[in-house]
């Protein structure tokens, strides 16, 4: 790369991909935005169980150079703590000069261990989730033994220490920002929500599926525990209340890697189809998106995604956290099985309300389009590069 732009090393556990879970898609759009102002080198794992050569080609088409470390997960160990990627990062930092580093999630601090104090390169940490906050909330729902709490405390300290070391931190919601500032008030934290490609989600489709008059959908990556919990809670606690009032109602638990306990729910009006490359036809045949998230942190991009596709959304306070949508106008926010079921049934049977909420939600989520968020990227990364360059010149 000899464009004259500053160089950025993007360190990520997951290969950024356009079509994947919301977190991995977020990485893709980060790379896309950053390639406008930087020569980007992506240092990441290539895990054949998840990744394809065309995913690498898509990043290269954006202008990024991909340094992918082949990793046979899960047979070679944990994707968080394998030494393969840290070893590759050390080689890159020894051979090339970078102007800034993007570190994706706190546990990738292992790629910079032993070098933080001598790097001389600003580091931006993306706290896609405040992990310790999410786990603390999980404990309140699912419980935890002493060993789990000890692990939580150890990782909480490490997460905060990684935030402290970074030159700038990105949070996904204002609530996450306030959580971190309570612990580390000196942090430089900017909020960049997890956006969506709203124009693409709204685009006309050639592939149209048969309409479902009383269709409800939940979507999630089921490698992520909050999504499994929400799907089970929906099926076991909320759905019987919906079916009791609307026997014709159908439920689709959409998303990749459904575990056996979710697959076992298939039947009697419940579908568990697994991964679908293009979610839009699935969304557009349904009538309501129901997302009863009980714990987590950060923005739940599934809410934005469904609303952008024109689906009215019913969710919880946790699911709505960080969003600037309005309850009762753009979506419904409820926290009991009875209220979640009642709002869902109202939307399934009231076409006028459904139409109004669809239009309102679709309009409101336009602020979460990645193009609308682009200026924030410039305001974080470029000033850090300029400041570091000035300090180099003075020294």
């Amino acid at each position: 790369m000899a464009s004259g732009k500053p160089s950025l090393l993007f360190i990520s556990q997951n290969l950024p991909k356009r079509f994947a879970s919301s977190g991995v898609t977020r990485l893709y759009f980060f790379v896309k935005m950053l390639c406008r102002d930087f020569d980007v080198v992506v240092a990441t794992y290539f895990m054949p169980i998840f990744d394809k050569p065309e995913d690498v080609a898509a990043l290269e088409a954006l202008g990024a150079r991909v340094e992918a470390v082949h990793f046979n997960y899960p047979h070679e160990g944990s994707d968080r703590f394998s030494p393969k990627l840290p070893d590759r990062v050390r080689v890159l930092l020894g051979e090339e000069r970078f102007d800034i580093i993007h570190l994706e999630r706190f546990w990738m601090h292992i790629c910079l261990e032993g070098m933080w104090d001598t790097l001389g390169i600003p580091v931006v940490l993306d706290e896609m989730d405040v992990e310790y906050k999410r786990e603390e909330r999980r404990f309140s729902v699912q419980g935890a033994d002493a060993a789990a709490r000890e692990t939580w405390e150890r990782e909480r300290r490490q997460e905060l220490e990684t935030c402290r070391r970074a030159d700038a931190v990105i949070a996904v919601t204002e609530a996450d920002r306030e959580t971190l500032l309570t612990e580390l008030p000196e942090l430089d934290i900017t909020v960049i929500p997890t956006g969506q490609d709203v124009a693409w989600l709204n685009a006309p489709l050639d592939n149209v599926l048969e309409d479902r008059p009383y269709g409800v959908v939940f979507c999630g990556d089921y490698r992520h525990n909050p999504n499994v919990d929400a799907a089970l809670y929906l099926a076991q606690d909320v759905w019987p209340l919906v079916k009791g009032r609307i026997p014709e109602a159908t439920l689709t638990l959409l998303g990749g890697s459904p575990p056996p306990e979710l697959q076992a729910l298939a039947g009697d009006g419940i579908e568990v189809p697994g991964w679908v490359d293009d979610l839009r036809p699935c969304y557009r045949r349904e009538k309501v998106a129901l997302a009863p998230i009980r714990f987590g942190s950060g923005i739940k991009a599934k809410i934005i995604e469904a609303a952008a596709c024109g689906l009215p959304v019913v969710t919880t306070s946790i699911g709505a956290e960080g969003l600037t949508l309005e309850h009762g106008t753009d979506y419904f926010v409820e926290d009991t099985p009875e209220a979640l079921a009642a709002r869902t049934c109202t939307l399934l049977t009231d076409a006028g309300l459904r139409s109004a909420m669809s239009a309102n939600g679709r309009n409101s989520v336009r602020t979460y389009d990645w193009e609308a968020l682009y200026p924030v990227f410039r305001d974080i990364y470029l000033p850090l590069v300029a400041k570091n360059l000035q300090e180099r010149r003075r020294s």
Side-chain angles (χ1 to χ4, degrees):
M1 297 182 180
S3 67
K5 295 187 288 189
S7 59
L8 182 146
L9 179 61
F10 191 99
I11 303 172
S12 171
Q13 166 195 347
N14 295 112
L15 180 70
K17 286 186 282 193
R18 172 67 181 85
F19 299 106
S21 66
S22 61
V24 176
T25 300
R26 174 184 170 92
L27 303 180
Y28 172 89
F29 280 99
F30 263 59
V31 173
K32 181 180 181 180
M33 298 293 108
L34 291 168
C35 278
R36 298 181 181 182
D37 296 301
F38 294 92
D39 286 332
V40 177
V41 176
V42 179
T44 185
Y45 292 119
F46 183 96
M47 293 179 265
I49 190 174
F50 302 128
D51 305 324
K52 299 175 183 178
E54 48 264 42
D55 299 323
V56 175
L59 291 176
E60 293 171 340
L62 296 177
R65 189 180 103 217
V66 181
E67 294 284 342
V69 178
H70 192 278
F71 182 63
N72 190 19
Y73 173 80
H75 305 293
E76 290 185 288
S78 166
D79 53 353
R80 285 195 184 190
F81 302 111
S82 165
K84 283 190 168 185
L85 186 56
D87 289 347
R88 183 62 189 139
V89 168
R90 289 187 183 93
V91 171
L92 288 169
L93 289 171
E95 293 178 346
E96 303 182 38
R97 187 178 187 88
F98 293 95
D99 296 296
I100 194 165
I101 294 172
H102 173 102
L103 193 66
E104 190 59 42
R105 295 186 180 270
F106 86 90
W107 58 74
M108 297 313 292
H109 72 88
I110 60 172
C111 293
L112 300 178
E113 283 307 305
M115 297 184 289
W116 279 92
D117 296 333
T118 58
L119 268 176
I121 306 170
V123 176
V124 177
L125 171 65
D126 183 18
E127 278 279 86
M128 192 185 301
D129 290 317
V130 178
E131 295 284 330
Y132 72 83
K133 174 182 175 182
R134 187 184 72 202
E135 284 299 284
E136 188 174 33
R137 285 175 167 176
R138 181 176 71 83
F139 293 164
S140 70
V141 172
Q142 297 181 340
D145 58 21
R149 292 185 181 279
E150 183 178 340
T151 298
W152 172 82
E153 178 56 34
R154 182 173 63 252
E155 294 196 349
R156 185 186 77 87
R157 291 195 300 267
Q158 182 61 70
E159 185 168 7
L160 291 171
E161 174 61 14
T162 305
C163 289
R164 187 191 64 77
R165 283 180 146 183
D167 295 272
V169 176
I170 296 171
V172 177
T173 67
E174 188 60 36
D176 281 357
R177 180 177 180 273
E178 291 301 320
T179 294
L180 292 171
L181 287 176
T182 298
E183 299 276 0
L184 298 168
E186 73 281 7
L187 284 187
D188 177 8
I189 309 180
T190 303
V191 173
I192 298 183
T194 295
Q196 288 285 351
D197 189 345
V198 173
W200 178 80
L201 289 168
N202 273 306
L205 299 179
D206 295 327
N207 179 23
V208 178
L209 299 175
E210 184 179 355
D211 182 70
R212 290 186 170 173
Y214 299 100
V216 176
V217 63
F218 171 79
C219 184
D221 177 358
Y222 297 113
R223 291 175 293 168
H224 191 49
N225 186 265
N227 288 327
V228 175
D229 177 83
L232 289 172
Y233 175 57
L234 192 168
Q236 295 167 357
D237 291 30
V238 182
W239 193 242
L241 302 176
V242 175
K243 290 285 281 186
R245 292 176 57 179
I246 306 176
E248 310 96 316
T250 59
L251 172 63
T252 302
L253 300 176
L254 198 61
S257 305
E261 60 265 37
L262 287 189
Q263 295 178 37
L265 297 172
D268 191 26
I270 299 179
E271 290 186 6
V272 188
W275 174 258
V276 176
D277 286 332
D278 188 348
L279 296 170
R280 295 175 299 173
C282 297
Y283 274 132
R284 293 189 192 182
R285 72 179 175 180
E286 310 291 352
K287 294 294 179 285
V288 178
L290 176 53
I293 306 293
R294 296 199 293 174
F295 61 89
S297 72
I299 277 184
K300 317 308 177 291
K302 59 175 62 61
I303 310 298
I304 303 169
E305 184 176 65
C309 285
L311 265 187
V313 176
V314 181
T315 190
T316 58
S317 298
I318 297 294
E321 188 173 66
L323 295 172
T324 56
L325 309 184
E326 185 177 342
H327 166 68
T329 300
D330 301 320
Y331 63 172
F332 285 126
V333 180
E334 303 290 353
D335 286 314
T336 66
E338 294 78 11
L340 288 162
R343 293 294 193 185
T344 300
C345 290
T346 297
L347 285 166
L348 287 174
T349 56
D350 188 334
L353 175 63
R354 210 165 53 235
S355 177
M357 190 163 281
S358 169
N360 292 337
R362 180 179 275 155
N363 183 62
S364 294
V365 297
R366 292 183 187 280
T367 58
Y368 293 97
D369 188 89
W370 282 112
E371 290 299 324
L373 297 171
Y374 168 62
V376 186
F377 286 83
R378 297 180 62 92
D379 291 344
I380 296 172
Y381 295 84
L382 288 175
L384 282 173
V385 170
K387 178 182 177 182
N388 190 55
L389 180 60
Q390 290 176 351
E391 290 175 352
R392 284 181 187 174
R393 287 171 176 167
R394 282 199 296 267
S395 61

